[in-house]
Amino acid sequence: MVTDDVFLDLEGLVGGSDVFLKLEGMNPAGSIKLKPAVAMVEDAERRGVLWPGGRMIESSSGSLGIALAMIAASKGYSFTCVVDPNVSPQSLDVIRALGAEVVRVDRRDANGGYLGTRIAAVRERLDRDPELVWLNQYANPANPHAHATGTATSILREIGRVDYLFVGAGTTGTLMGCVRHFRTFSPSTRIVAVDSVGSVTFDAPPGPRYIPGLGASRKPEILRPGSVDTVVLVSEVDAVRTCRHLAGRYGLLAGGSTGSIVAAVMQTDVPPGSRVVALSPDLGDRYVQTVYNDDWAAATYGPDALLPLVPGVDRVAV
């Protein structure tokens, strides 16, 4: 049950232009990750590496773990999800409720994140159990393929002309899938990759990050960095402020990565008359104890995280 045609018109977000937010959290898994999860599992089945009763393992910041746990339960697979301290408590509860095993790492890697540590934990378990199947969302071509044939196709079908497309960069599966489709069917669209300050995906300096979804402490193998037109780095403080603005102005409780992506739209000089599409990977129910919690936000980022945004006056910082 993949919902791929829900868009919210963010009227007034950018003066003189239309901004459409593609809501990817309207499916049973609650995020865009359901599409690559289905694609990677079905690819493993076709290749004969995953069979009835098989065992899967994957590293996840939360959303893919939920999607894979759903699929594993429905198909009779066992699933181990390797997570880190940034995963939301709600996501952990959902993954466990669906019957998956959770392995949590707590040591930062050389770039200050947890991705390298999570992958090391996956490899350690693969060494102990050769029949364990690692789907490897960071290198699996089925990940971007799901977005080339689904996400990107639905944008052009529903919106038509798209002048700017803003896509978050986590595993970069969504980004690379959209690049592939748009370069073929809408080459004039400017594709903007949105990343978090502290992520090394596009060779920026490493640093700590606390909101799951965007950014990485190692470059995903599927990334082709020269294929995007622009990269915008957004601080997590601005992501939090933008999430709260979306809630107060549009009644949309959006996830942390959506805050980063919409913040990137707001800080980009979009010519009047443009048609803009931004991808919202998930909704905000899993972030009520973090992004939308005053105590957590102030303790994590300082009092600036609680300052309201005024579009057109208060430009978020790059």
Side-chain angles (χ1 to χ4, degrees), residues 64-76:
L64 182 70
I66 291 172
L68 287 174
M70 291 181 64
I71 295 168
S74 69
K75 287 177 171 282

Side-chain angles (χ1 to χ4, degrees), residues 52-279:
R55 300 188 300 279
M56 304 186 298
I57 189 169
E58 184 57 284
S59 155
S60 172
S61 60
S63 292
L64 182 70
I66 291 172
L68 287 174
M70 291 181 64
I71 295 168
S74 69
K75 287 177 171 282
Y77 300 133
S78 67
F79 172 53
T80 299
C81 187
V82 182
V83 302
D84 61 55
N86 287 341
V87 67
S88 77
Q90 294 94 326
S91 294
L92 279 181
D93 288 344
V94 173
I95 293 170
R96 290 191 175 110
L98 290 165
E101 175 192 14
V102 172
V103 174
R104 185 167 173 166
V105 304
D106 55 13
R107 178 174 53 83
R108 291 190 181 274
D109 58 29
N111 285 320
Y114 295 101
L115 180 53
T117 310
R118 293 200 323 244
I119 291 177
V122 170
R123 294 189 186 280
E124 178 184 339
R125 282 160 177 77
L126 291 172
D127 289 340
R128 296 203 307 257
D129 184 357
E131 293 189 355
L132 197 59
V133 177
W134 180 24
L135 298 173
N136 194 0
Q137 59 174 325
Y138 316 101
N140 193 328
N143 181 356
H145 180 74
H147 297 293
T149 58
T151 308
T153 301
S154 68
I155 293 171
L156 290 179
R157 181 179 64 244
E158 300 294 331
I159 301 299
R161 190 191 96 229
V162 177
D163 298 307
Y164 287 81
L165 176 65
F166 288 77
V167 187
T171 68
T172 69
T174 307
L175 178 63
M176 291 296 97
C178 287
V179 164
R180 190 174 90 187
H181 187 81
F182 272 79
R183 292 303 185 227
T184 301
F185 297 101
S186 183
S188 63
T189 299
R190 290 190 60 81
I191 299 178
V192 181
V194 183
D195 201 9
S196 297
V197 171
S199 168
V200 304
T201 301
F202 295 97
D203 296 319
R209 291 170 291 109
Y210 303 97
I211 299 176
L214 290 194
S217 53
R218 64 185 285 276
K219 288 189 178 185
E221 291 85 348
I222 57 177
L223 172 65
R224 300 294 179 267
S227 61
V228 302
D229 295 297
T230 309
V231 177
V232 177
L233 298 180
V234 175
S235 72
E236 290 192 340
V237 172
D238 290 336
V240 170
R241 295 176 67 202
T242 306
C243 280
R244 289 162 173 249
H245 174 71
L246 290 172
R249 166 64 178 83
Y250 299 98
L252 174 67
L253 199 69
S257 53
T258 300
S260 297
I261 293 164
V262 174
V265 175
M266 295 172 67
Q267 69 187 38
T268 300
D269 291 324
V270 176
S274 298
R275 290 172 65 84
V276 178
V277 173
L279 297 189

